[in-house]
Amino acid sequence: MESINEIIDSQTFSQELVDEANEFITVGHQNQQQEADSESESHSLHGVSGEALAMTMQSIISSADRAGEEEPSSVVMVIDEIGHRSVQTAYQIMPQQLQIQGRNLPLPLSLLHHQHQDQGQHQQRQERMIDSSPVDFVGSDISLDGLTVNTVLSQGLSVKQEHKLLIVRRDHDFSQVRNPPQASKRHNMDVDVSSVDVGLMDELSSDGLACEEEEVTLNQHHQHQQLLEQQHQYGHLTHHQTHGQVHHSLHHRSAPMGLGHNGSVHREVLSVIVQSHEDDKDVDGDAEEDDDDDRDSGGRDQLLSPVLEHSSYQTLTSVNDRLSPPGFSPTSYATLTPIQPLPPISTMSEKFAYSGHISGGGSGGVGGNGAEGTTNSSGDAGETATVSSGNISGSGCSNNDCSSFSSLPMAMGSGHLGLSGLSGVQSPYSSYDKLPSMISPPPHNYSGSPSHGLTGMVVSCDLHTHSSSVSVPSPVTGGCVTLSPHSNSPQLQIGVRANGQKRDVLTTHGHNHGHGHDHGQSHGHGHNHGLQLIPVTLQKQVICLSPSGVLGDSVVVSDYESSYSGHHHDHELIMATSSSTSSTAGLQHSPTLSPHSASAGSVVSMSLHSPTSVVAMPNINGSIQSLSAEMPVVASLTPTPPPVTCAESDEGAAGMGMSDDPSQRHQHFLQKSQDISGDQCSPHSNPHSQANTSHQQTQSHQNGYQNVQQQLSKSHSPKSNPGTSGGGSRTSSASDMEEINTKELAQRISAELKRYSIPQAIFAQRVLCRSQGTLSDLLRNPKPWSKLKSGRETFRRMFKWLQEPEFQRMSALRMAAAQIPQRTPISVQTGVSGTSGLPAAAASTITATDSSPTMPTMTGSALLSGSSTAPSSGGAVASTVNCRRKEEPQIEQMPQPKKPRLVFTDLQRRTLQAIFKETKRPSKEMQVTIARQLGLEPTTVGNFFMNARRRSMDKWRDDDTKNAMHSMQSRQQQQASNNLSHANYANIHTTAMSPIGAFDDEADMELELESHDFDLVDEHGDNSDGQGDML
DNA sequence: TACTAGTCAATAGT
DNA sequence: ACTATTGACTAGTA
């Protein structure tokens, strides 16, 4: 609080202290008394190095609090050196309860908490918990004794605040200490508050540990249950922190704490005991929960310790870094942030494309981006935008749905131009397309925005054109790649469509090779290669065509390829002209196509076309235009629509079979185009597209699927599900929809991946064009649809994928899987090639390579995909490629030695976490100070807080909880997890699910809150504000 | 300029 | 071999 100087000074001191070893930093808390005590103590400490640290910490904390952070208020950081008695003092501060125990702290704490907390019941539980663990604690406490501090609110009654004690012990201690935390956790569990804490914890992630401890500390305020509130409140509270302030803060904090779960929360904040990490876990002993708790506790402990260590490295260093982290994992949920979405796509495209694609495309410089942009644009719309990129794009896609597809298209478009990069993108898109198709049907989604025009179809056409133009430049291939993801579709197509398509595909391949992009590589079969190249063309064509499903992919592909090989473009153009359907078929879309299968024939043609190159050469411009005309079909690109569709269909679609989707898509597209504009894509375009579409439609119609899908989609469409709902389908329906039940979708995807033993990495690359880590994050911590922006694209893609017939999915994925490995390398190469200028070309090549390895199978599928479905395989490949492309460039550039990734030391992490608990948004000054103390760069510290903020919060909660605590919604779902969490604070934390858990907790909190509020309430308001953002 | 959102990619953990 | 975590980028916004 005080001046920075103080902090700094303190820091310096702290450092010294650290060296010394133990230091306690106690941050005041709610209880004035305690505060006073603590202060005195702390001061004393300060005198010593320890104090300084404490001071710093406090100051930091306080500042943070002031910032508005949460609970921090009461946080007491106690850094113990081993020897320091200061700690004891600290205890004194807390005295009543804590004091107790000096050592026993843990138990006492827990007890205290319980006691303090009005909630007898909870307490009881806690006690139980405690008993088991607490006991341990006690033992551990021993070490703790000194360490801990706590604060309990002396006054307990009145305030109950929480105090956070940060006890930094040396390793030994910590370990022991940890136990206590656990106990605390347990306590928390009991108390609703815990939940709150948990939530916090989660957010903090590793920090959680500390939190737990804190929780343990006691607090009573049950009151504010809602985590958020608490946090916010805390934040306010924290302000108080300066010594004097601190005391105040304590009170305040406590209040906040109370609010939340009171005790728990506060506790968390209050005491941060850094214990040895390890122990915690042990202590927890309990099953999962325990683990979580442990983690949390560990984390917490660590936090403190880290600080100490950090500052003083000496003692603390010990804790395992990870331990804490692990704990967090649970918190992961909190973490959730990960999800983010689309960006990648856009990025992807960009990256990939960036080669040119887009550039060409113009709009987006990066083609991919374009796509993304599109996606972004609308939010949902963004997607549309993408599409538009193509021309249409704009309009586009209006919606999300489009987005995915659109994106592809976009990519395409731009891609065409330059786009190789896009290719990668495309692939994804392609896949999207498929889905979209699914979605599209649903037009629902699309309809709206996309509207633009036409349906997606029209638009798509434009896109194509654009794309074509674009594509040419860049090797859209990338796009193609993208498509690959869809590969599935191809397969499907294959199945569906049958031979013909495949043939086509093959042929196309041949062509492709000729064209070359990659060819080289794959030649032979290169199915992939061929695919790539061809695909491109095809895609373009496809795009137009398939609007329904395929389109997307195809489009993408075409773009890429086109871009890459002009030839292809020609083909594409041709293809396009030929008919969208066929084209589509050629494209990955196949799946979609499948329906089209009819298209198969077309597909063939497609391929031919591609070969024909007519398109290609013409280059973009001419060709494109021409294409456009024909493309109209392409226009269908609808891809955009697809997205929409995707949303709808969900799984159900899948069942249907690829074809269905496609058909549906087509229909949808058509419909959309006509009807809505829904599609994103839309609109557009036009006539051509329409015409094509009609054809397609007819084809599609052939398949029953469409209907089915449509139905599905429609039914689902819904927006969804909001909440939970889930099911994918519904949500899905919406591709655009607004709402896709991300949670359900994530679950479904996870289930599907497991079912088929599809590695995340493969799915991520092929279908989503995202990294494995990103996918993992999204699946684990999906953000609520409402909170997603560009990230929706990624979910849409997933949605679409689900919608696709299983065959397609599988084939695509598998293909991808096989290919991927290979591809990569290749991709790299190819990427370079960038024949057409862009990486795209390279991409194509890559694909080829890819194909080569897998080719065999791939080819088949690829072909299929290529043709109709091809998309899938092709798409996959493409996608892969695309992605790679992105990379490739990098690679070239890469040369640079990468910086090794920074890994925080335990102390650093713990300290940061501990601070984060208190203050989510430390001022720059604070950050700088922290950085100094920890020996980190300010930017690193800034990143930490940024990431912590984003990852700590429960994504879901926010929405739900914000206003009220209710949030129950999600909770229910979450409940399960939550319950656990409740049981153990730690657990809660651990459970990444946390969000849920948190919610639950929150709910509990609410209940508790009733009584509480107290000061907290006021504070809450304040704090909440600050935090509010956070939340 | 500061933030956020979305990711990537390295690394940790199973 | 996979998945999960996480520090750091980048793009888009306000």
Side-chain angles (χ1 to χ4, degrees):
Chain A
M1 301 308 298
E2 288 124 291
S3 63
I4 296 169
N5 294 340
E6 292 177 352
I7 295 169
I8 295 168
D9 293 347
S10 62
Q11 292 175 342
T12 58
F13 290 102
S14 63
Q15 292 174 342
E16 293 174 355
L17 293 177
V18 171
D19 294 351
E20 290 176 355
N22 302 331
E23 294 170 353
F24 292 92
I25 295 170
T26 55
V27 176
H29 294 306
Q30 301 169 347
N31 295 343
Q32 292 173 344
Q33 293 174 344
Q34 291 176 342
E35 290 176 353
D37 293 348
S38 63
E39 290 178 353
S40 65
E41 292 176 351
S42 64
H43 292 290
S44 64
L45 293 178
H46 293 290
V48 178
S49 62
E51 291 178 351
L53 293 177
M55 295 301 291
T56 57
M57 294 301 293
Q58 293 175 343
S59 65
I60 294 167
I61 296 167
S62 63
S63 64
D65 291 350
R66 291 177 182 176
E69 306 298 309
E70 311 105 337
E71 306 106 342
S73 60
S74 46
V75 175
V76 175
M77 306 243 344
V78 177
I79 297 171
D80 294 347
E81 288 177 354
I82 298 170
H84 296 289
R85 298 246 179 300
S86 60
V87 173
Q88 294 174 342
T89 51
Y91 289 102
Q92 293 173 346
I93 295 168
M94 300 310 292
Q96 301 169 337
Q97 298 171 339
L98 294 181
Q99 32 200 287
I100 328 170
Q101 324 148 354
R103 303 177 178 172
N104 295 333
L105 294 180
L107 294 176
L109 292 176
S110 63
L111 295 177
L112 292 175
H113 294 292
H114 296 296
Q115 294 174 344
H116 293 290
Q117 296 172 343
D118 293 349
Q119 304 167 342
Q121 296 174 342
H122 295 289
Q123 291 175 342
Q124 292 174 344
R125 292 177 184 176
Q126 291 174 342
E127 290 175 352
R128 293 176 184 175
M129 297 298 293
I130 295 166
D131 293 348
S132 60
S133 61
V135 173
D136 294 347
F137 241 35
V138 174
S140 62
D141 289 348
I142 299 168
S143 59
L144 294 180
D145 298 343
L147 298 179
T148 56
V149 167
N150 291 292
T151 61
V152 177
L153 321 177
S154 45
Q155 298 174 342
L157 301 179
S158 61
V159 179
K160 296 183 174 182
Q161 309 133 345
E162 301 126 77
H163 298 282
K164 293 177 181 178
L165 297 184
L166 293 183
I167 298 170
V168 174
R169 291 180 181 179
R170 290 180 183 177
D171 298 346
H172 300 291
D173 294 351
F174 290 93
S175 62
Q176 294 174 341
V177 171
R178 292 177 183 174
N179 295 338
Q182 293 174 343
S184 64
K185 292 177 181 178
R186 293 176 181 176
H187 296 294
N188 293 339
M189 298 293 296
D190 294 348
V191 175
D192 292 338
V193 173
S194 63
S195 63
V196 172
D197 293 346
V198 173
L200 295 177
M201 294 300 293
D202 292 349
E203 294 176 351
L204 295 180
S205 67
S206 60
D207 293 352
L209 296 178
C211 295
E212 292 176 350
E213 292 175 353
E214 292 173 353
E215 292 176 351
V216 173
T217 46
L218 315 179
N219 299 321
Q220 302 171 342
H221 305 291
H222 302 298
Q223 327 150 338
H224 305 293
Q225 302 166 336
Q226 297 171 342
L227 297 178
L228 295 177
E229 292 176 352
Q230 292 176 341
Q231 292 174 342
H232 295 294
Q233 293 173 346
Y234 291 93
H236 296 293
L237 295 178
T238 51
H239 296 291
H240 299 291
Q241 298 175 342
T242 9
H243 300 292
Q245 292 174 342
V246 172
H247 297 294
H248 297 289
S249 63
L250 293 176
H251 298 292
H252 296 288
R253 292 177 183 175
S254 62
M257 296 302 288
L259 293 178
H261 301 292
N262 298 343
S264 62
V265 174
H266 295 291
R267 294 173 184 176
E268 291 176 348
V269 175
L270 297 179
S271 62
V272 172
I273 298 168
V274 176
Q275 295 173 338
S276 58
H277 303 289
E278 302 168 350
D279 295 352
D280 294 351
K281 292 180 180 179
D282 294 349
V283 171
D284 290 350
D286 295 350
E288 295 173 351
E289 292 177 352
D290 293 350
D291 293 349
D292 293 349
D293 293 348
D294 291 349
R295 292 177 183 176
D296 294 348
S297 64
R300 292 177 184 176
D301 293 348
Q302 291 174 345
L303 293 177
L304 296 179
S305 61
V307 172
L308 295 180
E309 289 176 355
H310 175 55
S311 56
S312 60
Y313 301 124
Q314 311 166 342
T315 54
L316 299 183
T317 56
S318 61
V319 176
N320 299 339
D321 293 349
R322 297 187 180 175
L323 292 178
S324 55
F328 294 93
S329 61
T331 53
S332 62
Y333 291 105
T335 315
L336 298 189
T337 26
I339 296 174
Q340 310 178 349
L342 301 186
I345 294 172
S346 54
T347 32
M348 293 294 294
S349 60
E350 292 174 352
K351 293 177 180 179
F352 299 100
Y354 63 86
S355 50
H357 4 339
I358 301 175
S359 49
S363 58
V366 177
N369 296 345
E372 292 178 352
T374 54
T375 54
N376 295 345
S377 62
S378 39
D380 296 352
E383 294 174 354
T384 18
T386 336
V387 174
S388 56
S389 60
N391 298 328
I392 305 172
S393 51
S395 50
C397 306
S398 39
N399 307 327
N400 304 338
D401 295 350
C402 296
S403 65
S404 52
F405 293 100
S406 60
S407 62
L408 292 179
M410 295 300 290
M412 298 303 291
S414 55
H416 296 304
L417 303 184
L419 317 180
S420 53
L422 295 180
S423 61
V425 172
Q426 294 173 341
S427 59
Y429 294 105
S430 60
S431 48
Y432 293 108
D433 294 350
K434 293 177 180 178
L435 296 176
S437 60
M438 298 300 290
I439 296 167
S440 59
H444 315 308
N445 302 331
Y446 298 89
S447 57
S449 44
S451 39
H452 302 317
L454 329 179
T455 3
M457 300 302 292
V458 175
V459 175
S460 55
C461 294
D462 295 348
L463 295 180
H464 292 292
T465 0
H466 297 292
S467 61
S468 61
S469 59
V470 173
S471 61
V472 172
S474 62
V476 177
T477 50
C480 297
V481 174
T482 337
L483 296 179
S484 58
H486 299 295
S487 57
N488 299 338
S489 53
Q491 295 173 341
L492 294 177
Q493 292 174 341
I494 295 169
V496 173
R497 294 180 182 175
N499 308 340
Q501 294 175 341
K502 291 179 179 178
R503 293 176 184 176
D504 295 348
V505 175
L506 296 179
T507 56
T508 52
H509 293 293
H511 297 292
N512 294 340
H513 295 295
H515 297 302
H517 299 306
D518 351 295
H519 326 321
Q521 300 172 340
S522 32
H523 299 309
H525 307 298
H527 308 307
N528 299 337
H529 302 295
L531 293 177
Q532 294 174 341
L533 296 178
I534 297 168
V536 173
T537 339
L538 296 178
Q539 294 173 340
K540 291 176 181 178
Q541 296 172 342
V542 172
I543 295 167
C544 297
L545 301 180
S546 8
S548 43
V550 178
L551 298 181
D553 296 354
S554 57
V555 172
V556 175
V557 173
S558 60
D559 293 346
Y560 293 88
E561 289 181 352
S562 61
S563 53
Y564 294 95
S565 57
H567 311 294
H568 301 294
H569 296 292
D570 295 349
H571 297 293
E572 294 175 350
L573 294 179
I574 296 169
M575 295 303 289
T577 54
S578 60
S579 56
S580 55
T581 49
S582 61
S583 62
T584 46
L587 299 186
Q588 300 165 336
H589 312 320
S590 49
T592 349
L593 295 181
S594 53
H596 305 303
S597 34
S599 55
S602 60
V603 173
V604 173
S605 61
M606 295 299 292
S607 56
L608 295 180
H609 295 292
S610 49
T612 47
S613 59
V614 174
V615 176
M617 303 316 295
N619 291 331
I620 308 164
N621 301 345
S623 61
I624 294 168
Q625 294 172 344
S626 59
L627 292 178
S628 60
E630 296 174 349
M631 297 313 289
V633 174
V634 174
S636 44
L637 290 189
T638 19
T640 44
V644 174
T645 48
C646 293
E648 296 177 354
S649 45
D650 287 351
E651 298 172 354
M656 296 312 293
M658 311 311 285
S659 61
D660 294 351
D661 298 352
S663 62
Q664 292 176 344
R665 294 178 184 174
H666 296 293
Q667 294 174 344
H668 295 291
F669 291 102
L670 295 180
Q671 294 174 344
K672 291 178 181 177
S673 62
Q674 295 173 343
D675 297 357
I676 307 175
S677 39
D679 306 10
Q680 359 175 328
C681 309
S682 7
H684 18 15
S685 0
N686 354 311
H688 301 290
S689 59
Q690 293 174 341
N692 294 341
T693 54
S694 64
H695 296 289
Q696 294 174 340
Q697 291 175 340
T698 58
Q699 294 174 341
S700 64
H701 291 294
Q702 294 174 342
N703 298 332
Y705 303 91
Q706 293 173 342
N707 295 341
V708 174
Q709 291 175 339
Q710 291 173 344
Q711 292 174 343
L712 294 176
S713 64
K714 291 178 182 178
S715 63
H716 301 295
S717 54
K719 355 200 141 233
S720 10
N721 345 273
T724 42
S725 51
S729 58
R730 300 173 182 161
T731 28
S732 60
S733 57
S735 51
D736 293 355
M737 14 191 335
E738 296 177 359
E739 300 182 358
I740 287 178
N741 181 334
T742 56
K743 188 175 183 180
E744 290 184 358
L745 177 59
Q747 292 178 340
R748 279 191 170 186
I749 292 290
S750 294
E752 292 296 311
L753 294 179
K754 286 183 179 179
R755 177 182 296 179
Y756 298 101
S757 296
I758 299 168
Q760 288 182 346
I762 291 171
F763 179 77
Q765 288 187 339
R766 301 247 147 148
V767 177
L768 305 178
C769 260
R770 294 273 172 285
S771 66
Q772 175 271 320
T774 296
L775 174 61
S776 177
D777 217 20
L778 293 177
L779 294 178
R780 220 167 222 328
N781 305 312
K783 284 182 178 180
W785 184 257
S786 63
K787 290 186 177 180
L788 293 171
K789 289 185 177 179
S790 63
R792 289 181 176 181
E793 174 70 18
T794 301
F795 281 102
R796 289 191 185 117
R797 290 179 181 177
M798 288 190 274
F799 181 85
K800 290 180 180 178
W801 182 78
L802 282 179
Q803 290 180 334
E804 294 179 351
E806 292 179 352
F807 294 104
Q808 293 178 342
R809 295 180 191 168
M810 297 301 292
S811 63
L813 295 178
R814 291 177 183 176
M815 298 299 291
Q819 295 175 344
I820 294 170
Q822 297 172 342
R823 292 178 183 175
T824 2
I826 295 169
S827 63
V828 172
Q829 296 172 342
T830 54
V832 174
S833 61
T835 59
S836 42
L838 296 182
S844 62
T845 54
I846 294 168
T847 53
T849 57
D850 293 352
S851 61
S852 61
T854 47
M855 289 311 292
T857 54
M858 294 305 292
T859 55
S861 62
L863 296 180
L864 296 179
S865 62
S867 61
S868 60
T869 45
S872 61
S873 62
V877 173
S879 63
T880 307
V881 174
N882 293 341
C883 297
R884 291 177 183 176
R885 289 179 182 174
K886 292 177 181 179
E887 293 176 353
E888 293 176 353
Q890 294 175 345
I891 294 170
E892 293 175 352
Q893 296 174 347
M894 294 306 291
Q896 303 171 346
K898 293 179 181 177
K899 294 177 182 177
R901 182 178 178 206
L902 172 65
V903 176
F904 293 128
T905 61
D906 291 347
L907 289 176
Q908 291 174 327
R909 183 177 297 105
R910 291 178 184 176
T911 301
L912 290 171
Q913 291 176 340
I915 294 170
F916 177 80
K917 290 179 179 179
E918 294 181 353
T919 61
K920 292 182 179 179
R921 294 176 180 275
S923 65
K924 289 182 180 178
E925 293 178 353
M926 289 293 294
Q927 293 182 22
V928 171
T929 300
I930 294 168
R932 289 179 184 175
Q933 292 182 340
L934 297 180
L936 296 171
E937 292 183 2
T939 56
T940 296
V941 172
N943 287 333
F944 172 85
F945 282 98
M946 185 180 300
N947 286 323
R949 258 181 257 135
R950 139 201 307 181
R951 289 169 175 155
S952 66
M953 313 170 28
D954 288 329
K955 298 172 184 175
W956 296 90
R957 291 180 182 175
D958 296 352
D959 296 351
D960 296 350
T961 56
K962 289 181 179 177
N963 298 340
M965 342 269 304
H966 352 340
S967 69
M968 299 311 295
Q969 300 172 341
S970 61
R971 297 172 188 155
Q972 294 174 340
Q973 295 172 342
Q974 297 172 341
Q975 291 175 343
S977 64
N978 292 345
N979 293 345
L980 296 178
S981 65
H982 291 294
N984 300 333
Y985 292 93
N987 293 344
I988 296 168
H989 299 291
T990 57
T991 58
M993 305 316 297
S994 53
I996 298 169
F999 290 92
D1000 292 349
D1001 293 349
E1002 290 176 354
D1004 294 348
M1005 295 303 291
E1006 291 175 352
L1007 296 177
E1008 294 174 354
L1009 292 180
E1010 296 174 352
S1011 62
H1012 307 295
D1013 292 356
F1014 301 91
D1015 300 4
L1016 295 181
V1017 173
D1018 297 352
E1019 292 175 353
H1020 289 292
D1022 297 348
N1023 292 343
S1024 63
D1025 295 350
Q1027 294 175 341
D1029 295 350
M1030 298 306 291
L1031 297 181

